[in-house]
Amino acid sequence: MVNLVALGEVVTSLGFAPSDRIVRQRINAVEQQTIYLPSDMINSDGSLDVYDDVLRLFRPTYQKNHPAIQCAGWVGYIPLNDRYALEVGTRVPVSNLERMVGMAAGYSPEILRQYTRPFGQTDERPAALFDMLADQLLDSFDHIWDNGLLKTYERVKRAGQSPVGRVMPFQTGLRSARAGRPVAVSSAFHRSSDFGPNRAIKHSLEKLLARYVTIAEDSQRKRTQRLRRALERLGDVGPLTASEANPKAIARYVDRLPSGHERYGDALMVAQLIIYDVGLSIRNTGGVAILPTILINMAVVFEDYVRRVLADGLREGARVQVKDGNKGGDGGARRLLFDPIAVPFVNPEVTPDIVIEVDGRTALVIDVKYKDAPKIPERSDVNQVVLYGAKYEASQVMLLHAGRPNGRNSVELCGQVGSYKVYNGMMNLDTSNVVEEELKFVDAVRSLLP
């Protein structure tokens, strides 16, 4: 892993990165945990002193007559106010967490752009976080362009009839004697944007463009257009040289930035991550970069991750299709509850997390619960999934939990409710071999399919 800490230390010491950066006291927590809050977070009117846009992520409560917040499934550095922040970790090992986020197709993390935090680095690069880096670099470059590119003075020698700058007598005499006519050799300093900082930014933009031109999704079209426009503006900037392509060199560029050009520090921080193919650690803080706060909703990630695991594991021709019940249209399986419905009522939607079809008929409906596996699923959860079975005419339904106690199978039959078999699905996300855990679950699900 490339050591990029040098630049992060320089940026921090100079106060670069967004000007509203605040150093907050961290309160350590784990997902799903209820945390007591400091007493000075209570306002005079009894309300919690928490940012409004952050408070919506939690459920404020009181525990033993103390103000508290239940962390739910959010993971990351969560600013509460100008004094405190929650550092919420997950029970999932870092390597498994990065894999889950990377496999959660279509998942986009929550980005609190008005708050910043220091990031550590990782070898994993989930697509959603890569998009965030691209946007951050483009936003910084747009600001740089609006305020003018940095330029440096370089010495340029000229030989001809019209000298510019300082005439060099010895070389002028030598060239004139050889040519048999007056030739003036002069030297002058000219401003140029073709130097280290701009080359590093251009190189990172080129790497981004090379990535995004291969992605045909419409959602990436605007990002690709912005990258092309940025590179056109850097048309006079040459390629990054070997001596400039190392973390210490980029750190020196930031260290020597003149005042009023803080956005170069922001851009170069992101550029180094792109140049060296280094990802951001979702969970751990560090000195690699100071960027907007990124939060991961583990409940959503787990659902998207499991859907991807099943879709990849059950690729058996066109017989088996794994669909998302939260969506309609192609690949979706969302339906309306009543058929027909009495007028004038609004027909609510039915949105199971995963619908598995075999030869066009629903064979299994799965509802994903990001919580530990119970001995038997909770009654309210069973009620929900049996309704799904009735609506989708599926005789088998499952509640999948994020945990598998030792000695228990990946899928267990709980019993039968009417004509519906209810299964308890379990995946151990704390395992050291999550790929093996995925295969066990896929095999168990496959055994239920006709």
Side-chain angles (χ1 to χ4, degrees):
M1 182 181 293
V2 180
N3 182 10
L4 305 182
V5 175
L7 190 146
E9 292 175 345
V10 169
V11 169
T12 301
S13 66
L14 294 178
F16 288 146
S19 59
D20 63 349
R21 180 174 179 246
I22 299 172
V23 178
R24 299 176 177 89
Q25 181 178 336
R26 289 202 301 269
I27 302 172
N28 293 323
V30 178
E31 56 174 327
Q32 307 294 345
Q33 184 180 11
T34 298
I35 296 295
Y36 293 125
L37 298 176
S39 58
D40 61 351
M41 288 188 63
I42 306 297
N43 294 319
S44 58
D45 62 357
S47 62
L48 286 179
D49 180 16
V50 177
Y51 298 131
D52 290 339
D53 56 344
V54 173
L55 189 59
R56 65 182 173 80
L57 305 175
F58 301 99
R59 189 175 69 186
T61 183
Y62 271 82
Q63 293 284 332
K64 298 181 180 179
N65 205 31
H66 287 281
I69 282 182
Q70 187 174 3
C71 294
W74 291 102
V75 172
Y77 174 92
I78 307 174
L80 298 176
N81 56 30
D82 289 352
R83 302 185 306 281
Y84 296 102
L86 278 178
E87 185 80 51
V88 183
T90 176
R91 292 167 293 180
V92 178
V94 174
S95 58
N96 293 356
L97 172 64
E98 303 289 354
R99 176 178 175 82
M100 290 172 63
V101 174
M103 291 182 64
Y107 175 73
S108 297
E110 181 86 7
I111 300 176
L112 304 180
R113 298 191 180 278
Q114 64 271 44
Y115 311 113
T116 60
R117 58 158 286 194
F119 281 89
Q121 68 186 84
T122 176
D123 286 333
E124 301 291 337
R125 294 181 299 281
L129 299 191
F130 203 93
D131 290 346
M132 188 276 291
L133 288 177
D135 291 341
Q136 190 72 11
L137 179 60
L138 286 165
D139 289 345
S140 294
F141 179 76
D142 286 346
H143 190 279
I144 288 170
W145 181 259
D146 290 341
N147 289 273
L149 289 176
L150 276 179
K151 295 185 178 182
T152 187
Y153 284 95
E154 56 182 17
R155 186 188 295 272
V156 178
K157 285 186 178 181
R158 295 174 181 268
Q161 300 295 319
S162 304
V164 177
R166 175 173 169 268
V167 176
M168 307 176 71
F170 176 77
Q171 296 184 27
T172 293
L174 184 61
R175 289 288 294 272
S176 298
R178 288 177 177 175
R181 56 183 175 81
V183 177
V185 178
S186 60
S187 173
F189 285 94
H190 293 267
R191 296 184 70 200
S192 171
S193 58
D194 185 13
F195 75 125
N198 293 331
R199 290 172 186 164
I201 293 173
K202 181 177 182 179
H203 185 72
S204 62
L205 291 170
E206 289 172 338
K207 289 196 68 172
L208 286 174
L209 183 60
R211 171 192 173 93
Y212 284 111
V213 293
T214 63
I215 303 176
E217 299 174 8
D218 290 340
S219 59
Q220 301 293 0
R221 187 173 302 166
K222 181 179 178 181
R223 195 172 280 117
T224 302
Q225 291 173 347
R226 292 185 68 191
L227 286 167
R228 293 186 188 278
R229 184 168 62 249
L231 286 170
E232 288 174 0
R233 291 171 169 175
L234 292 173
D236 295 333
V237 177
L240 191 67
T241 66
S243 62
E244 294 167 337
N246 67 78
K248 290 185 178 180
I250 296 177
R252 284 195 298 271
Y253 300 150
V254 177
D255 194 25
R256 298 169 183 173
L257 288 176
S259 61
H261 290 276
E262 289 81 2
R263 283 296 182 135
Y264 262 95
D266 295 347
L268 288 169
M269 253 194 315
V270 179
Q272 69 163 352
L273 297 174
I274 296 169
I275 290 171
Y276 303 111
D277 294 319
V278 172
L280 297 179
S281 176
I282 299 169
R283 192 173 69 170
N284 297 328
T285 58
V288 171
I290 301 170
L291 296 170
T293 292
I294 301 171
L295 303 183
I296 302 297
N297 188 331
M298 291 300 297
V300 178
V301 167
F302 182 51
E303 177 186 324
D304 290 345
Y305 158 72
V306 171
R307 193 180 298 111
R308 170 72 178 275
V309 167
L310 289 172
D312 289 350
L314 298 175
R315 292 182 187 272
E316 299 170 1
R319 292 194 66 235
V320 181
Q321 291 190 20
V322 178
K323 295 187 174 182
D324 184 352
N326 300 293
K327 300 177 181 178
D330 187 29
R334 183 175 59 204
R335 296 184 182 179
L336 296 176
L337 177 59
F338 295 108
D339 184 19
I341 185 172
V343 178
F345 301 117
V346 175
N347 203 349
E349 293 179 334
V350 180
T351 57
D353 296 325
I354 301 172
V355 176
I356 300 180
E357 296 180 355
V358 178
D359 296 329
R361 295 181 60 86
T362 303
L364 178 65
V365 177
I366 302 175
D367 204 51
V368 180
K369 304 295 182 183
Y370 187 68
K371 54 186 178 182
D372 292 335
K375 290 182 179 179
I376 191 168
E378 297 177 9
R379 173 64 180 277
S380 60
D381 293 339
V382 173
N383 292 347
Q384 180 183 24
V385 79
V386 167
L387 169 65
Y388 292 156
K391 182 61 190 179
Y392 287 80
E393 299 179 350
S395 61
Q396 301 182 114
V397 295
M398 180 187 297
L399 289 155
L400 175 61
H401 298 89
R404 184 171 66 85
N406 290 335
R408 297 186 65 179
N409 296 322
S410 298
V411 174
E412 297 176 349
L413 176 63
C414 301
Q416 194 153 331
V417 179
S419 59
Y420 306 104
K421 291 182 178 179
V422 180
Y423 292 91
N424 190 9
M426 292 167 279
M427 289 189 69
N428 178 17
L429 304 179
D430 193 33
T431 179
S432 59
N433 191 340
V434 71
V435 175
E436 181 180 345
E437 186 71 13
E438 294 167 2
L439 294 174
K440 286 181 180 179
F441 178 67
V442 170
D443 287 342
V445 170
R446 183 184 290 110
S447 69
L448 302 180
L449 304 181

